[in-house]
Amino acid sequence: MAATATEDVTVKEPLDLIRLSLDERIYVKLRGEREIRGRLHAYDQHLNMILGEAEEVVTTVEIDDETYEEIVKTSRRNIPFIFVRGDGVILVSPPLRT
């Protein structure tokens, strides 16, 4: 039994890291300058994910017509549950482990 418990926490494949992050808060960077932080409830091999207690941050950059300066705007919203489609995922960061 001890060998099985050790195997459960080892990372042999990339998706093992995601498996170890189930029911923990993760950071997901998406296409289109979107970021989501939330609790990972489920995922599949395509990185489709269901996150709960999520916060989405969308960053937009606009150019001022008169000064040609970049204006960076961020909008945030809290989402109780969200389905994230895997083909939009750029990066998944698990919680820090000490």
Side-chain angles (χ1 to χ4, degrees), residues 24-95:
E24 296 195 35
R25 292 191 63 78
I26 62 169
Y27 168 80
V28 182
K29 184 168 177 64
L30 301 165
R31 293 182 189 177
E33 302 300 322
R34 295 175 59 205
E35 302 171 356
I36 298 178
R37 286 180 175 81
R39 185 167 307 281
L40 180 63
H41 289 280
Y43 72 96
D44 66 11
Q45 71 272 16
H46 304 290
L47 282 184
N48 295 320
M49 292 179 269
I50 296 176
L51 300 175
E53 304 164 23
E55 179 187 41
E56 177 187 41
V57 178
V58 179
T59 304
T60 56
V61 178
E62 298 174 357
I63 305 293
D64 187 293
D65 292 335
E66 296 176 5
T67 63
Y68 298 105
E69 291 182 9
E70 290 184 348
I71 302 168
V72 179
K73 296 181 180 178
T74 59
S75 62
R76 297 175 183 269
R77 67 178 178 149
N78 291 319
I79 307 166
F81 271 97
I82 186 168
F83 175 85
V84 178
R85 187 175 159 135
D87 69 347
V89 173
I90 296 173
L91 175 138
V92 177
S93 177

Side-chain angles (χ1 to χ4, degrees), residues 14-30:
L15 287 179
D16 290 344
L17 192 61
I18 305 298
R19 178 181 48 82
L20 293 173
S21 299
L22 277 170
D23 204 34
E24 296 195 35
R25 292 191 63 78
I26 62 169
Y27 168 80
V28 182
K29 184 168 177 64
L30 301 165

